[in-house]
Amino acid sequence: MHNSRMGRVIALAAGVAMSCAAMAGQAFAAPPPSLPGDPTPQVVGGSPAAKGEFPWMVRLSMGCGGAMYSESLVLTAAHCLGSTGPNTSITVTYGVVDLQDSAAIRRTSSYVYKYPGYGTSEGGDWALVKLSSPITGAATLPITTTKSFDTGTFTIAGWGDTSEGGSASRYLLKAQVPFVDDTTCRNSGAYYRDLIFNAELCAGYPGGGVDTCQGDSGGPMFRRDNNNAWIQVGIVSHGDGCARRNAPGVYTEVSTFASAIAAKAAELGGGPTPPPTGKVFENTGNVDIPDAGAAVTSSIAVTGLTGKAPATLKAGVDIKHTYRGDLVIDLVAPDGTTYRMKNASSNDSSANVITTYTVDASSEVAAGTWKLRVQDTYSADTGYIDSWKLTF
Ligand code: ARG
């Protein structure tokens, strides 16, 4: 970013807390297509999010958005905040789409970390807000650690202005915007000429119409990863007006700062809750495996754990069978994601599968019903699931 743009951004940063708060800004500026069942199909530039759809979305009291990074840290935009240091002035609202919902969970901030590169040629419009006490069991939005997701279609959400210069939304709105490459973004006009390629990520339609806007700042821009899980790729930062033609929204490029964010979070003592370890759940009920038949399953209900499953989830299986090459074995996560642990192999004539598989289940929520699925793919030999267990 060069001086002309820095001046602009700094001015925005300086004025943002007040202007966003005053405007109660929210997000989308132009009418995205309304969805069937929209209570207010005439909502401008976005459609209402369902309660729980983006459970890690939070509203900050100065008029910005944010995303839960851990139970006690919110990732938001640097320009939403004053300076690094103790700060008890921010109220964080979690767990609702309606800001007037009495079920809202609220916390006060205790500390703010504002990335020092912001406002310099490096860029980095991000900040972490520490809560005075954790929101235990809060949903969190993982940040991308690779640039491979900095493309495609992104989802944006916020309580910001529903049109440029308009008013904020009481309800959380969402919309989708396509990726805009750096060169196209920079060439969108004078406003964009100092785009910081490595620190900023653009998104929006050439014709405008859908965008974040004042009051959405600090909120996440996110998409699905290869496991179909939500992953944060951007932070609402700035733009030339809202939803104008050839005027993309500019977002902090999270991938560039992912390791700095993780390091600072760890230092603030509020990094992602480590997955629980050592808890064992077992099912010892026998399940017959039909010969060359349909797959059978044995379930384990996992309760009492919060957060994600570990990257080294251990699935110990004890399957009695007279020709184990016949067997295909999968682990099915609570959300239905299937992890193949063993394929059939016609030349493995040994008996029984008594072993422990290690599964990278780090994108799965630990709690819920897990299933062992076993299928006998060849006729003649038979067997049964004797027992199996999961170690978290
Ligand atoms: N700086 C604004 C805020 O503080 C966000 C602007 C986003 N603008 C855009 N056209 N996408 O809320």
Side-chain angles (χ1 to χ4, degrees):
M1 141 187 330
H2 297 113
N3 287 340
S4 58
R5 167 62 163 344
M6 280 177 61
R8 174 168 222 149
V9 170
I10 287 164
L12 181 61
V16 120
M18 273 223 301
S19 66
C20 284
M23 291 174 144
Q26 148 96 39
F28 319 105
S34 58
L35 300 175
D38 270 2
T40 49
Q42 52 278 85
V43 66
V44 180
S47 62
K51 194 166 179 174
E53 187 175 6
F54 310 121
W56 21 258
M57 277 293 310
V58 297
R59 178 70 172 169
L60 305 184
S61 54
M62 86 294 280
C64 280
M68 295 300 292
Y69 178 81
S70 70
E71 290 181 345
S72 59
L73 289 174
V74 172
L75 181 61
T76 185
H79 83 258
C80 289
L81 298 161
S83 55
T84 294
N87 184 325
T88 56
S89 71
I90 304 164
T91 301
V92 174
T93 301
Y94 169 89
V96 292
V97 292
D98 175 1
L99 293 175
Q100 294 174 26
D101 187 332
S102 60
I105 293 169
R106 295 204 166 83
R107 290 288 187 279
T108 302
S109 60
S110 61
Y111 188 87
V112 158
Y113 173 78
K114 186 169 170 175
Y115 186 61
Y118 175 69
T120 75
S121 58
E122 182 197 0
D125 190 3
W126 65 269
L128 287 165
V129 175
K130 184 156 190 188
L131 309 184
S132 52
S133 65
I135 299 175
T136 305
T140 55
L141 178 59
I143 59 172
T144 184
T145 55
T146 119
K147 305 229 172 262
S148 61
F149 300 115
D150 293 352
T151 186
T153 300
F154 306 127
T155 299
I156 49 179
W159 287 271
D161 295 352
T162 56
S163 64
E164 184 177 331
S167 56
S169 178
R170 167 177 165 182
Y171 299 93
L172 181 64
L173 298 184
K174 62 173 178 177
Q176 292 194 321
V177 281
F179 167 74
V180 174
D181 70 84
D182 286 335
T183 301
T184 301
C185 189
R186 186 180 55 192
N187 292 339
S188 297
Y191 177 92
Y192 297 90
R193 72 181 167 220
D194 297 316
L195 186 76
I196 309 171
F197 279 20
N198 194 44
E200 299 183 308
L201 177 63
C202 301
Y205 293 97
V210 181
D211 197 5
T212 44
C213 197
Q214 268 53 40
D216 291 318
S217 279
M221 178 167 79
F222 46 97
R223 52 160 284 168
R224 299 287 188 173
D225 70 8
N226 296 331
N227 291 319
N228 206 37
W230 290 120
I231 190 159
Q232 183 170 0
V233 298
I235 299 169
V236 179
S237 184
H238 64 99
D240 185 11
C242 302
R244 298 182 188 178
R245 297 178 59 82
N246 296 316
V250 183
Y251 299 80
T252 313
E253 190 165 345
V254 166
S255 56
T256 298
F257 301 100
S259 56
I261 293 168
K264 185 51 68 172
E267 190 186 317
L268 294 176
T273 309
T277 51
K279 301 240 168 71
V280 181
F281 299 82
E282 186 167 25
N283 184 338
T284 57
N286 293 3
V287 178
D288 285 328
I289 305 164
D291 189 29
V296 293
T297 61
S298 171
S299 296
I300 289 177
V302 171
T303 56
L305 297 181
T306 55
K308 298 286 174 114
T312 55
L313 177 64
K314 302 272 193 276
V317 306
D318 183 346
I319 296 170
K320 305 298 194 297
H321 195 277
T322 51
Y323 194 111
R324 69 183 178 200
D326 291 1
L327 299 178
V328 174
I329 306 177
D330 291 321
L331 178 66
V332 185
D335 71 355
T337 307
T338 296
Y339 296 86
R340 176 61 44 95
M341 298 193 295
K342 179 192 175 304
N343 283 304
S345 52
S346 56
N347 57 359
D348 184 2
S349 60
S350 301
N352 306 333
V353 181
I354 302 173
T355 191
T356 298
Y357 299 101
T358 300
V359 175
D360 180 354
S362 55
S363 66
E364 304 296 337
V365 170
T369 300
W370 295 75
K371 289 180 179 144
L372 180 71
R373 186 164 67 201
V374 183
Q375 184 166 22
D376 181 327
T377 60
Y378 201 80
S379 59
D381 294 272
T382 59
Y384 62 97
I385 302 171
D386 197 338
S387 69
W388 72 290
K389 65 180 177 182
L390 287 172
T391 305
F392 283 83

